[in-house]
Amino acid sequence: MGSNHSITYSAQYKTGGVWVPMPGVLRVHTHVQSSDGGGPFRFGASVLPSATVECGPAAPATGWYRAPFRASVQVTIDGVAHPEEDVFTGILTRRTPGQWGYTFEAAGADGRIRRARVRTPLRYRRALATATTAGSVEDPDDVGYVGGLLNEIFWKSGGRPYEQAHVYPDAAFYYACDGTSVAPEWGWIDTENAWDEALKLAEAAGGQVYQDSRGVMRYVNPLLLAESTPAPLVVADTGPHASGRILYDGRVEVDEDLTAAYNVAVCTFQRRALQAPQEVYKNQDSFEIDPSQYKDHECVTSWPVRWRDQDGAVEYTVEVVACYDDGYGVTPTVTVLEESARVLELRITNPSSTRVIHVDSITITGRPVTVQQQGVARYTGPRFDANDDEDVEIRLNDSVYTQRETAAQRRATLAVYFDGYPRPVYRVGNCPYMPGVTVGQYTLFYSQQLGLVGEPCRIVDQYLDDSGTVMGLALASVVGLPKLSERFVVGTTYALSDVRRVGL
Amino acid sequence: MSGMLGAFQDSPLFTTDNDVHVTDGLDVLWTNQRALDVATLRLREAFPSHAEHRVEFIHTNPLNWVEGGFHYRTGLTMLTLITYTHSLGTGVTPRLRVLINGVQRAQLTLTAGEQTHTVAISSIGLVSGQAVEVLLQIVDTTLEAAQAGNPDLPGEPADPSSARWGRYDLIDAYVSPLSATLTTPDPGPPTLDNTPTAAILNQLSNRLDWLAMRVGLVPWPVWQRPFNVPGLYWAPTTYHLWSGGIVRGAGSTLVVEFAYQIVTNSGERFRLLINGSEAATTPVLSAPAHNWATSWEVDVSGYSSTARLRLEIQSVITAAREADQGGRPSRFTLESVHVRRGSPGHLSMPTRTAPDESMTWTNLRGRVNALIANSNAIKSRIDDNPDLFDRARLYRAGYAYNAGARLYLEFRHMPTQRRRIGRRLVVAGRNVKIGWGPMVVRAPEEQDGEVTLEFAHTETLIASNAVETREIWLDQLPGLRVSRTYTLMGGDVRFAAEYLR
């Protein structure tokens, strides 16, 4: 290979709401890690980056904890400087004394999402994820917002659509979603850990959430995994090392976890239905409010509640019983601050400027959405080993987003297709650095050792060594996975003689 | 949910740039449509009017003649009652008094023959979703004034041969119009050419959902089964077992399913009368003849499709053993009375699409367009049959005339659904249990003088001693699949009806 590499790091962190250069940065080391367990395309699994940042003595001593952080590199090969590219976006999580000054550790954007408290109103027949585009409406507060629940989590965690990055230059992170047709009858988010919820959504939708090497948080629709891209990256052990073609040293390790394989998937579902108006909240704890003061009170319901109908008309009533010290009744002013699926937040104001009031009870009637039917769907595929004398079955995680029996059936089917059958992951090291390579990228893989010629793969793991010279890659084969392009696609015009498959 | 009707899944969503998915997409539309086909082919159960029993009522004025209930929804405006007065009795001026939730809402004059009475229900304070109780009384208002609040008529013999003993049947009762209770408009049929857009596919999805909602408005009241009815008489005579009414509509065969046991009589037959004429009969039977599952199938195609047929089942005893000689009454159980089509008349369904199936666009388009065309046919069935789809039949509570009789008849007149068809059961009453699965009949000797039933599975639906309304998703009861029989026990069921979704 014999080329001369040099690498320049730059990093910024956000302090006081402004991106500023990270002082004293010497080196940024990034790594992308697949989550444990299952095959490379297990639904709901994640591929997450982490970074260590080596700084000199000028490293910030304060204001860094959980600060947004981003890093980029510029590599020069044989005197040719490649464009600077982002290699990481996340938050700083730890600072320890290092050899030259201080070493910081940074987590990906998941670290931010993990701490986000996200609540949404009840959404009716809302896709779990919708495709982000340059024109997609992503702000949940916009009139006519119809974005997916996953999009809503990303937005409310501080993310902004990657395709609209120019509009949001100061976003905490960017996200890009494929669409999915998975849409439960009733969906909502109410979580203190939005990252876990995002993974649950991806699991229910079929697909994965990951943060690519550019720092973009992505949801990928599984039917697009095996789709080739124009001028796909080639990873080969013979031929030249050139633009769009990585030459590695020929050594390949193959991971293929047969113990995790299965051909039968069982998936539960919970059918939910909107109920007639009834009491959904009653609080008997009394509390006092000083004169002219107010108290905010979160009324948390057992079931998600539809507070407004499809036309936006209010469907609930709030009754607050209060009295003065002498027992005479008083009607406090009640303002609704938030209407999320399981929380109605009230501001109760004492109308008197001279007397304390005692709030004795709060009663709310509304229309809850309750579970009406529970059941199980099962998909049995062919055994992956003809010599096996029995099926291997797994039970998929229960999900509130799987509400139809047929939705459970489809989820089980997709799980067996994408995750059940053993799928090789090829690990190659000593790849010369090539700008633009990222986790999730579609790749054609060649190996004389394994007799592979242009095996379609996706990059599922990536690291860059300290010098910026060498990359390691893990490539998961996508051979045989169902592809969207082979199918009839909603919104596409066909000729009568066109032949395609329908979906799963 | 088991069975074809279990296909009622919630609507799938199709989104641009995603595959035309099948398992949770096209195939749901297909199975939902097949379920709609079945649901809109189903015909009427007879309205149960009256069953024989041991409780004499002639000495009561007013007479609590019929108790029933319906599930009110905003949009329903009218309660319709169709009576048939066989005889008025002499020396009385009977009126039909209508009480809704205990409040008198109408008092109607009864005359001989068939009458249609209507009572407005739209502005009487009913709440949508409420189970409403209806009590129909026969009252002689002149006599009532003379009674001074005492319903017992002094000196009146408990004797049906009394001249005061008129004979009345309620041959239909319903609230309407159901169509007005659905405020969402029909999305209408989409048009599919060569671009399967999300708008088109979702319109079809929404339309099937709307049709399911529309059909789902129709309650199927749980049948009030006269169980093991003992005749009052064991001397040679003819006595009434049950009466009711039905409109045959698109049906051509009247099916009566029943069971009997001749205990001691040596000459007895059971017969069916339509409009007063014998239409079917068993042979003359002698003890110990019995049949636990038999039926009459009567060709009724000669009757007008819109005419209401008066039905009556009688026992004709020609040779009996007197009671003092150890004679005992025969037993008769009526399981179901309904009309059936001459031919199934199912829609021609397009080929079912399999996941991952490869085909031409012509083929796929044809299948989707066939679903669209079928949705029009289903809509037409609904629109063209208001008797089936625009009227919510009254649930007929027990055939008893007062609380004491209801308690006494608890194990004889039991709401029993011969064949479960729906997904959801709405029940109003007190201390209600549901029983299903294999059933054991305990003889009176074992059970303190009264027949009782024991089911393999029972579940408490309403534990309260106060009247409550409950919704039960029948799939949650293990083994109670579509087409299986179940019985509601407890003796005080004010309303019970199945809904398709």
Side-chain angles (χ1 to χ4, degrees), chain A residues 235-249:
Chain A
V235 177
D237 53 357
T238 59
H241 178 80
S243 175
R245 182 182 176 88
I246 294 176
L247 181 65
Y248 71 98
D249 62 7

Side-chain angles (χ1 to χ4, degrees), chain A residues 328-409:
Chain A
Y328 277 90
V330 58
T331 303
T333 305
V334 178
T335 308
V336 177
L337 301 178
E338 180 186 342
E339 295 170 355
S340 60
R342 291 194 52 209
V343 175
L344 196 69
E345 185 174 9
L346 307 177
R347 173 161 294 172
I348 302 171
T349 304
N350 184 345
S352 169
S353 59
T354 57
R355 305 172 71 182
V356 171
I357 66 169
H358 303 266
V359 175
D360 290 328
S361 71
I362 303 171
T363 306
I364 300 173
T365 60
R367 301 192 66 184
V369 169
T370 63
V371 174
Q372 293 297 354
Q373 180 192 4
Q374 301 183 68
V376 170
R378 171 182 275 102
Y379 173 76
T380 302
R383 293 171 188 161
F384 54 86
D385 184 341
N387 293 322
D388 254 0
D389 56 3
E390 61 182 17
D391 292 327
V392 180
E393 179 177 301
I394 70 157
R395 183 186 170 107
L396 303 179
N397 290 325
D398 296 345
S399 172
V400 296
Y401 306 113
T402 306
Q403 295 175 4
R404 287 188 294 270
E405 185 173 0
T406 50
Q409 182 73 43

Side-chain angles (χ1 to χ4, degrees), chain B residues 20 50 57 61 81 112 122 131 156 193 203 307 311 314 341 361 363 379 384-385 392 422 434 479 488:
Chain B
V20 180
H50 181 61
F57 55 86
N61 184 50
L81 305 165
S122 51
E156 190 69 32
D193 191 5
Q203 188 175 344
L311 308 175
Q314 296 177 335
R341 288 172 189 271
W361 170 242
N363 201 349
K379 176 70 164 46
D384 296 345
N385 291 283
I434 185 171
L488 301 178

Side-chain angles (χ1 to χ4, degrees), chain A residues 125 372 404 406 487 493 496, chain B residues 12 24 195 206 356 362 473:
Chain A
R125 287 182 72 198
Q372 293 297 354
R404 287 188 294 270
T406 50
R487 284 151 214 286
T493 300
L496 293 177
Chain B
D24 191 35
T195 309
N206 291 337
D356 219 19
T362 305
W473 294 80

Side-chain angles (χ1 to χ4, degrees), chain B residues 220-232:
Chain B
W220 296 93
V222 177
W223 169 256
Q224 192 60 241
R225 178 177 72 172
F227 172 75
N228 218 23
V229 173
L232 286 172

Side-chain angles (χ1 to χ4, degrees), chain A residues 76-155:
Chain A
T76 302
I77 303 175
D78 292 336
V80 177
H82 290 273
E84 183 176 357
E85 63 177 351
D86 294 334
V87 291
F88 187 82
T89 298
I91 57 172
L92 296 170
T93 56
R94 194 171 180 190
R95 177 179 180 266
T96 53
Q99 185 176 4
W100 308 105
Y102 294 93
T103 299
F104 291 86
E105 293 178 17
D110 63 293
R112 182 183 180 91
I113 301 170
R114 211 177 287 278
R115 295 282 289 266
R117 188 179 99 166
V118 177
R119 293 171 176 168
T120 71
L122 209 53
R123 306 286 191 199
Y124 178 66
R125 287 182 72 198
R126 183 65 58 91
L128 296 187
T130 49
T132 47
T133 66
S136 59
V137 176
E138 298 288 323
D139 185 348
D141 292 333
D142 277 3
V143 176
Y145 173 73
V146 290
L149 292 172
L150 194 53
N151 305 52
E152 200 163 353
I153 280 183
F154 290 154
W155 179 279

Side-chain angles (χ1 to χ4, degrees), chain B residues 136-181:
Chain B
L136 305 180
Q137 295 178 327
I138 302 287
V139 58
D140 182 332
T141 50
T142 308
L143 197 57
E144 189 180 45
Q147 287 172 252
N150 179 8
D152 290 335
L153 302 181
E156 190 69 32
D159 178 0
S161 64
S162 163
R164 292 190 185 280
W165 183 284
R167 189 175 162 219
Y168 320 95
D169 266 320
L170 179 68
I171 55 177
D172 207 355
Y174 55 85
V175 289
S176 61
L178 277 176
S179 54
T181 65

